[in-house]
Amino acid sequence: MARKSKGFSDLLHQKQREEQRTSESFKQLQHKVKESMGEEASLNMVFNPAGEDKMSEVLQEFVDPYMETVNGISELKGWLEIAVLAWNIALMPSEKRQDILDGIFSEMASGTDLQVLEDLRTTVNNLIDRKDRYFSSFQSSITSFDIQDKGDSYFLSVASALEQ
């Protein structure tokens, strides 16, 4: 019987660690969805459904042009929150988007610097435009995400509603 090489063994262990990390991240995300959306929503979550794109990879690609200036996991989380907001608004009919944005930004207006608010509105509108131009084939809404710091990198899990 042929013996496995050390390289193969290392690769196998690396794959097992990655699968364990992915499973742990999915469980954390499932818990987060349960807390925010209820137990039924968390029980209906599917892990990497066959034939579907991994929304974590899609979201990473979606925000990629904005990541050059990000310093640290907390800034990254903030950018992802903005990106998810823009993504989900972009899924709505275009005639409803402005009203939704106006409602969100009027809620934020008290106590927020007007220039910061205007910059944020511009960023959200740019992200909506990016979604429409380059990601229009993706119609799943993003319901939640979890990001874990892995030292020199991060691990992103995304919960999304499958297309109807």
Side-chain angles (χ1 to χ4, degrees):
M1 184 165 169
R3 206 172 140 184
K4 294 177 186 171
S5 72
K6 180 168 175 23
F8 176 79
S9 178
D10 289 345
L11 188 62
L12 183 62
H13 289 305
Q14 180 182 357
K15 184 170 173 45
Q16 288 170 339
R17 283 189 304 270
E18 190 174 302
E19 287 173 357
Q20 181 180 6
R21 205 172 24 222
T22 302
S23 176
E24 289 170 5
S25 182
F26 178 75
K27 287 176 186 173
Q28 286 180 347
L29 183 59
Q30 194 172 32
H31 179 72
K32 189 175 177 181
V33 168
K34 180 180 179 180
E35 287 180 346
S36 65
M37 301 178 70
E39 187 166 358
E40 185 176 336
S42 72
L43 293 175
N44 289 331
M45 288 178 65
V46 180
F47 182 70
N48 290 339
E52 296 291 325
D53 290 295
K54 288 182 73 173
M55 285 304 291
S56 58
E57 292 173 2
V58 173
L59 182 58
Q60 285 176 320
E61 186 178 338
F62 180 59
V63 299
D64 186 59
Y66 299 89
M67 295 299 98
E68 292 176 5
T69 61
V70 171
N71 293 312
I73 197 87
S74 61
E75 277 189 33
L76 177 58
K77 184 178 179 190
W79 267 105
L80 291 170
E81 289 170 350
I82 293 167
V84 167
L85 171 71
W87 181 276
N88 290 335
I89 290 173
L91 294 173
M92 298 176 182
S94 55
E95 62 273 5
K96 292 184 179 184
R97 293 177 186 177
Q98 195 59 50
D99 289 339
I100 291 167
L101 285 171
D102 289 345
I104 291 169
F105 285 105
S106 68
E107 270 186 42
M108 295 172 64
S110 65
T112 305
D113 181 285
L114 292 178
Q115 185 59 50
V116 170
L117 207 55
E118 191 55 40
D119 291 346
L120 182 57
R121 182 185 283 268
T122 299
T123 300
V124 170
N125 281 319
N126 289 340
L127 284 164
I128 290 170
D129 184 53
R130 179 169 170 73
K131 164 69 174 85
D132 287 342
R133 284 183 186 204
Y134 304 110
F135 298 87
S136 61
S137 64
F138 298 98
Q139 294 298 308
S140 297
S141 63
I142 298 173
T143 57
S144 188
F145 71 88
D146 182 63
I147 188 151
Q148 297 176 11
D149 193 348
K150 299 297 179 190
D152 60 343
S153 65
Y154 62 89
F155 188 82
L156 177 64
S157 298
V158 173
S160 62
L162 294 176
E163 297 175 40
Q164 299 299 327

